[in-house]
Amino acid sequence: MRIRSEQLNPIVGDIDGNTDKILNSLKKAEQDNVELLVLPEMCLTGYPPMDLLERQSLLQKVEKASQTIINATGETGIIFGLPTKNPSNTGRLLFNSAILAWAGKILATVNKTLLPTYDVFDESRYFEPNRYFGPVGFKGCKLGITICEDIWTNRNEFNYHTYAQEPASMLAEAGADILINISASPFSRSKPEFRKNMLREHAMNLHIPVVFANQVGANTEMIFDGDSMIIAPDGTVLERTELFKEDFVDAVWNARPKKISPTQNRAPEPKETEREIFEALVLGLRDYFAKSGLPKQVVLGLSGGLDSALTAVIAAEALGHENVTGITMPSDFSSGGSVSDSEKLAENLGIKIQKLPIGDVYEMFLQTLGPVFKDTPFNVAEENLQSRTRGVLLMAIANKFGWLLLNTGNKSELAVGYCTLYGDMAGGISVIADLYKTEAYSLSSWLNEVYYQKEIIPGEIISKEPSAELRPDQKDTDSLPPYLILDGILKAYIEGQKSLKEIIEMGYDPDVSKTILALVDRNEYKRRQAPPGLRVSTKAFGPGRQLPLAHGWKHEIQ
């Protein structure tokens, strides 16, 4: 039996378009004499559909579309993911399901058992958990069908929840010949290898092959890498798809002896971290526009600094250089290179660039505020006013031409509030909001040295000392520790979920650590008003990190 694991890039809520994708995959599989086509979790609705699942009109369309797919099956069987109605009078109204269909009929409907409610997931909000376990027969083979979290039992990066059930083991004990998992498992830094090792562990422990089909593409903040694969019982990765694009792999199952064999022996080597991150962000930005129906034209402020330069590179790669416009907005406090470095970057990328000095507009604001600010010293209000002046100009340009403003802020500054509401926090989407400053440096250097193999981001931008340039001779280190130290503390606190005591035990200065953690907590209100940011870490700001704005928690050095 020839089995195909295929990763699709659905659009959330586009039931017609997703149905066409599924039908095209089914047709291609039949032409290739594939006997079982395995597609991702919730591929009919796209994942995550969120509160669209509360709309009866969508559920009715899903039900009709699923019947169209079932009716289209012939010699090739198909497993695909979708929401189905819970017929019981108790519990949630829906199941997160996988349908196995063949020859115009449903052979089985399998429901998801483990419903994640941590980080970016909130499945218990919509779905009732499965309570029945058993393999499904198909052409003489017993299939152990699971859905995403069902195979992540107590194997996630963080122990958010300890599950009492182990669906994969229970299915293997019940006689499953093959473990099949359909997923919408989002990408994060180093996730592909972590996930692969988890799947290999299942294959080796259960002594059966694993067929894994994962969603690819991006939906708002979440980016899915695909990385579908087929693994032999000894843990050998027989076939593995390319990351970040629609792709499929095949293998052949022989009932006697029970053995699975590759068709192409295609198992790409792991990519370096910078390449994974770059491809993820490019896909994330590209899909944000394609799936939202937005025109691809974007505008962003070019400050001559690293963050805006990196954002411009990603935008040019994702949307085409002809669709990107950079605006330089120098003030009396801007360095000499803020404009010239930006112009050099624009020339290297082939993007458009315009210069709009903000001095006159800024002075008019100060004159208007004069009666209120009279006899007060220059402070953060005047500093932030410059940033807000730039935000007004950028939003005016975006509105005038129907473009989208890209936010260029990084995770380090967003974490500690080193950013201005209604100023440099403006934008429709934040491209590098989940990259720490040190990671932005690393990615920028990699782009020049490895990806482009020439200087795209001017060396002066990478080498200059970071500065907001909102007062004379200002440097980021005036307010913050060096980024190597800052980012180390932030990673430990945000992604490592370490306490203040644990961070100090790692070797960081107690007073500095306490100050940084207090800044992170204090600036939650800013992050609530930030644009959505593309997620590439295990703990990004946004829906995956929910903290109260008003609270009395204090970090103590014990």
Side-chain angles (χ1 to χ4, degrees), residues 302-324:
L302 290 179
S303 67
L306 186 82
D307 298 332
S308 60
L310 179 56
T311 301
V313 172
I314 295 167
E317 191 81 16
L319 307 173
H321 64 89
E322 68 280 4
N323 294 314
V324 181

Side-chain angles (χ1 to χ4, degrees), residues 329 357-359 361-363 365 384-394 422-423:
M329 294 165 288
I358 68 166
V361 180
Y362 176 60
E363 287 299 326
F365 274 126
N384 288 344
L385 188 56
Q386 296 167 72
S387 180
R388 292 184 175 119
T389 300
R390 293 184 172 108
V392 167
L393 296 177
L394 288 169
Y422 327 119

Side-chain angles (χ1 to χ4, degrees), residues 179-412:
L179 179 64
I180 290 177
N181 184 263
I182 66 171
S183 275
S185 173
F187 170 80
S188 61
R189 190 182 300 103
S190 303
K191 180 75 168 284
E193 285 305 289
F194 184 93
R195 188 196 295 124
K196 181 198 74 173
N197 291 333
M198 180 273 296
L199 294 170
R200 290 183 67 246
E201 181 183 329
H202 275 299
M204 292 185 289
N205 289 344
L206 303 178
H207 309 292
I208 58 175
V210 174
V211 175
F212 174 73
N214 190 32
Q215 179 174 290
V216 71
N219 292 316
T220 313
E221 300 99 336
M222 296 171 67
I223 302 168
F224 300 86
D225 51 326
D227 200 25
S228 304
M229 63 189 83
I230 299 173
I231 301 174
D234 65 358
T236 301
V237 179
L238 302 176
E239 303 280 359
R240 190 176 185 182
T241 60
E242 295 288 342
L243 298 179
F244 305 115
K245 68 177 186 179
E246 292 188 323
D247 195 10
F248 63 80
V249 287
D250 294 353
V252 176
W253 166 258
N254 292 300
R256 293 190 182 88
K258 291 184 177 181
K259 183 180 180 182
I260 194 162
S261 304
T263 58
Q264 292 182 293
N265 285 299
R266 185 161 69 93
E269 290 297 316
K271 298 179 179 181
E272 62 267 57
T273 300
E274 289 83 4
R275 185 176 295 275
E276 286 185 356
I277 295 294
F278 183 61
E279 291 184 0
L281 293 175
V282 168
L283 175 62
L285 187 59
R286 182 181 294 143
D287 271 8
Y288 186 76
F289 281 81
K291 295 182 178 184
S292 301
L294 295 168
K296 293 194 297 183
Q297 286 81 6
V298 297
V299 62
L300 73 161
L302 290 179
S303 67
L306 186 82
D307 298 332
S308 60
L310 179 56
T311 301
V313 172
I314 295 167
E317 191 81 16
L319 307 173
H321 64 89
E322 68 280 4
N323 294 314
V324 181
T325 298
I327 308 295
T328 66
M329 294 165 288
S331 73
D332 292 342
F333 304 129
S334 298
S335 64
S338 65
V339 173
S340 60
D341 292 344
S342 296
E343 289 172 340
K344 186 175 180 182
L345 170 74
E347 181 180 356
N348 292 345
L349 285 174
I351 66 174
K352 297 179 285 294
I353 187 169
Q354 292 190 42
K355 181 179 176 182
L356 294 178
I358 68 166
D360 292 344
V361 180
Y362 176 60
E363 287 299 326
M364 289 179 65
F365 274 126
L366 290 179
Q367 289 177 22
T368 302
L369 290 165
V372 180
F373 283 11
K374 184 179 179 182
D375 298 327
T376 61
F378 182 101
N379 67 3
V380 69
E382 286 85 357
E383 290 185 25
N384 288 344
L385 188 56
Q386 296 167 72
S387 180
R388 292 184 175 119
T389 300
R390 293 184 172 108
V392 167
L393 296 177
L394 288 169
M395 284 305 304
I397 293 169
N399 290 163
K400 186 67 174 179
F401 300 106
W403 299 344
L404 188 81
L405 173 61
L406 298 182
N407 182 269
T408 63
N410 65 64
K411 190 171 187 175
S412 302

